[in-house]
Amino acid sequence: MNEFINYETLINKMKYLGLEGFLENLEGISKKINNNEINFIEAIDYLISSQIKFKKDNVYKAAIKVSHFPFIKTMSDFDFDFQPSLNKSQILNFCTLEFLNKNENIIFFGTPGTGKTHLATAIGIEVAKNSKLTYFISCKDLVWQLKKSRSENTLERRLKHFASYSLLIIDEIGHDILNEEESNDLFQLLQMRYEKHSTILTTNYNLPEWSKIFPGNKMSLNAMLDRFLHHSHLITINGPSYRTKEVSQYLSAIEN
């Protein structure tokens, strides 16, 4: 009875200290000690390692949550064989975060469904896992937020907010045509991040076509590109659509 009370007391103390990693593994470790499979020091080391892993997992989950990724996909989920135009070693090197340490940018070009957002997200997840502030947002939502803050006289504060992230991923540049005011807000943000933090852009438009996205703002566009491209990796995906592939596989499965 006393052993049971002591064990329950131990459990309560662990709960009080937030040692969830200990709690998850305590019963299994106790059995291994009783069976002489491990000694006391090995048991303590295992429990401490379990607690460290538990804390890291929680930090990772929290970082992913606040980053607002549209989905959770890593590089291991990407089918490089389906997109042979990509330099796999170059893409995987982005996950070492060397580009982030150098405040470099990445632009993914490609037609819809070629995996631009997947790759941007996978890189972003690696950045977030390393406890670097990361944020994913569509260009449409970003422009809307900046426009709203302008009407509320809080634009400067909002720009500083987005400028502060170690990595900002702006998805689908060109989804909507931007007027001069919207373009200037976006250009101002990119200028604030220049040589201070890294930015990843995804777009369906090649650079010569960007004048279609920002009509009537050629001078500002050229000035922004001149700065932004100075430290940028330009990745073009020339390949088929994953969505078309999935539809074809689905139809094939139905026919068979």
Side-chain angles (χ1 to χ4, degrees), residues 185-218:
D185 290 343
L186 179 60
F187 295 164
Q188 186 177 348
L189 172 60
L190 293 176
Q191 183 173 333
M192 290 171 69
R193 296 182 58 80
Y194 175 67
E195 293 189 332
K196 295 179 181 178
H197 297 297
S198 295
T199 305
I200 296 180
L201 307 180
T202 75
T203 179
N204 298 334
Y205 292 83
N206 292 319
L207 285 177
E209 300 177 297
W210 277 32
S211 57
K212 298 177 183 178
I213 308 170
F214 310 100
N217 213 355
K218 187 174 181 180

Side-chain angles (χ1 to χ4, degrees), residues 43-255:
I44 292 297
D45 179 67
Y46 185 88
L47 289 173
I48 291 175
S49 296
S50 298
Q51 181 62 27
I52 291 173
K53 182 180 182 302
F54 181 87
K55 290 190 71 173
K56 284 184 176 179
D57 287 346
N58 272 0
V59 169
Y60 166 68
K61 290 175 183 177
I64 296 301
K65 185 176 181 179
V66 300
S67 297
H68 287 256
F69 294 115
F71 43 68
I72 304 301
K73 288 186 179 180
T74 64
M75 283 299 175
S76 61
D77 300 317
F78 191 84
D79 186 358
F80 283 94
D81 292 333
F82 192 69
Q83 299 295 5
S85 67
L86 284 172
N87 183 334
K88 183 177 179 179
S89 61
Q90 180 188 25
I91 301 299
L92 294 180
N93 186 60
F94 291 141
C95 293
T96 66
L97 309 192
E98 183 180 354
F99 83 98
L100 193 78
N101 296 330
K102 295 180 179 179
N103 298 322
E104 295 173 341
N105 308 307
I106 304 171
I107 308 179
F108 286 108
F109 303 93
T111 54
T114 50
K116 304 182 299 297
T117 301
H118 182 151
L119 291 174
T121 298
I123 296 169
I125 286 175
E126 287 299 318
V127 174
K129 282 171 63 176
N130 282 270
S131 302
K132 303 290 186 181
L133 283 176
T134 307
Y135 198 78
F136 182 105
I137 188 169
S138 70
C139 183
K140 181 178 182 179
D141 286 343
L142 174 61
V143 169
W144 179 84
Q145 287 197 35
L146 295 179
K147 185 176 182 178
K148 183 173 183 291
S149 64
R150 178 184 285 278
S151 67
E152 296 171 346
N153 294 319
T154 58
L155 178 60
E156 184 177 353
R157 184 169 63 191
R158 202 64 185 156
L159 285 169
K160 287 181 179 179
H161 166 77
F162 284 118
S164 67
Y165 287 100
S166 297
L167 176 63
L168 180 65
I169 302 173
I170 306 176
D171 194 39
E172 294 187 323
I173 296 282
H175 181 276
D176 293 306
I177 305 302
L178 305 185
N179 61 37
E180 185 172 356
E181 185 178 83
E182 293 167 338
S183 300
N184 286 336
D185 290 343
L186 179 60
F187 295 164
Q188 186 177 348
L189 172 60
L190 293 176
Q191 183 173 333
M192 290 171 69
R193 296 182 58 80
Y194 175 67
E195 293 189 332
K196 295 179 181 178
H197 297 297
S198 295
T199 305
I200 296 180
L201 307 180
T202 75
T203 179
N204 298 334
Y205 292 83
N206 292 319
L207 285 177
E209 300 177 297
W210 277 32
S211 57
K212 298 177 183 178
I213 308 170
F214 310 100
N217 213 355
K218 187 174 181 180
M219 186 176 297
S220 296
L221 172 62
N222 289 340
M224 184 276 291
L225 287 177
D226 184 60
R227 281 177 170 268
F228 191 83
L229 297 178
H230 183 211
H231 300 295
S232 291
H233 300 271
L234 310 184
I235 311 297
T236 300
I237 308 176
N238 294 314
S241 167
Y242 281 98
R243 300 186 190 111
T244 302
K245 174 190 175 185
E246 291 171 356
V247 171
S248 297
Q249 290 175 338
Y250 174 75
L251 293 176
S252 177
I254 292 177
E255 292 174 358

Side-chain angles (χ1 to χ4, degrees), residues 27-43:
E27 186 175 346
I29 288 297
S30 297
K31 289 179 180 178
K32 288 186 176 183
I33 291 176
N34 291 334
N35 294 333
N36 294 317
E37 296 178 31
I38 58 175
N39 59 40
F40 176 75
I41 297 299
E42 290 172 328

